[in-house]
Amino acid sequence: MRNQHPAQLTVLHLDPRATAPVPAGTVQARADAAYTSLFLGGTGNGNTFGMDGEILRTGLKAEVGLGAGLSLAAELPLLHTNGGFLDAFLIDWHDLFGLPDQDRSTSPRNQFEVRATRQLNTVYELRERDLEVGDIPMALTWSILSPEPRGPDDERRNGVGLAARVGVEWPTGDADAGFGNGEVDWSLGLLGELRTGPVAWTAHASHTFAGTPDVARRGGLDFADVTSAGLGLEWAVADRWALLVQTELETSTLRNLDFDRVSDPQWLLWTGVRTRVSRSVAIEVALGEDLSAFVAPDFTAYLGLTVQL
């Protein structure tokens, strides 16, 4: 999963994956959808940022094994933005668990507006749209080490895994409407994995050289590069079921606006389950929450389907 903050979605992100390569000549297809409620506002140094609404990001992905430990992946992201319907539910949810409310309960409900200004000039705006294509990412992964299967018919693996990645994102999204940044992004990353029987510990880190949209450049703002790092836990509790936990800390691409609610790192947590329908088909569901108050986007619901062809 990834951060659904609208500005962060304009920057290439190397999503977590296993360190093992896709077998040569094999295609792994994946479709996932994340629906997020957005709510944040703040001002400082004559600059402002506010977001209120909901966003659905659907990713259609394919990764092919090239041999020699190499895998090449590409994704078509589709986005939908609207005022939504979750505000009342989330107010009650936050009250029940004592989670940060970020002043949501005192604001109008089910509205849509996402905008950042620098000295009264708009430098980023996400518009309400039924369907938009985002910037298209591609990533090449080189598996340096891969955990070994415990047996010829056993998908669970033991050992240590390590992989390196390089990514590029093409400017296919509408940058004027906030669905891309209008420039080519580049990223470098590492993946780590430790598998011991039914438990896997994973780690990932990457740095992206982010492009700046024209509207931001005209307003005197450079989008900052984004560095992210995360940890994950996968616990196979039964032959076909695994519990999943993932957390990630990510620097803000809007941090040059220079006030806390846009400049502080964004920290998120997701928890979910994966069920393997067959050896080649798996389904994941998860819920995400922000751990950094007054910074990150709010509640996310996630669904993923993976098929190996």
Side-chain angles (χ1 to χ4, degrees), residues 191-267:
L191 295 163
E193 188 175 356
L194 173 63
R195 290 187 174 264
T196 55
V199 177
W201 300 91
T202 61
H204 64 280
S206 64
H207 181 82
T208 296
F209 303 92
T212 297
D214 287 343
V215 64
R217 187 176 292 107
R218 290 193 298 268
L221 178 74
D222 288 329
F223 273 37
D225 294 347
V226 173
T227 301
S228 62
L231 298 172
L233 170 66
E234 177 184 327
W235 179 19
V237 295
D239 286 343
R240 294 180 179 271
W241 291 89
L243 298 179
L244 308 173
V245 179
Q246 178 192 321
T247 187
E248 184 171 37
L249 186 69
E250 185 174 76
T251 60
S252 171
T253 194
L254 293 179
R255 62 183 179 271
N256 291 331
L257 284 175
D258 197 28
F259 62 94
D260 291 348
R261 296 193 183 187
V262 288
S263 62
D264 287 348
Q266 300 172 26
W267 186 20

Side-chain angles (χ1 to χ4, degrees), residues 2 36 96-97 100 103 109 150 200 212 216 248 283 297 303:
R2 65 170 296 179
T36 298
L96 179 63
F97 292 99
D103 299 327
R109 300 185 184 185
R150 299 197 312 186
T212 297
E248 184 171 37
I283 297 173
L303 173 66

Side-chain angles (χ1 to χ4, degrees), residues 13 55 60 67-68 86-87 89 149 170 184 193 207 232 236 287 292 308:
H13 181 268
I55 182 169
L60 305 177
L86 289 174
D87 284 354
F89 165 75
W170 306 104
V184 176
E193 188 175 356
H207 181 82
L287 299 177
S292 46
Q308 188 158 297

Side-chain angles (χ1 to χ4, degrees), residues 265-284:
Q266 300 172 26
W267 186 20
L268 296 109
L269 173 71
W270 300 271
T271 55
V273 296
R274 177 191 301 122
T275 180
R276 188 164 291 281
V277 180
S278 68
R279 286 184 61 86
S280 59
V281 178
I283 297 173
E284 297 173 351

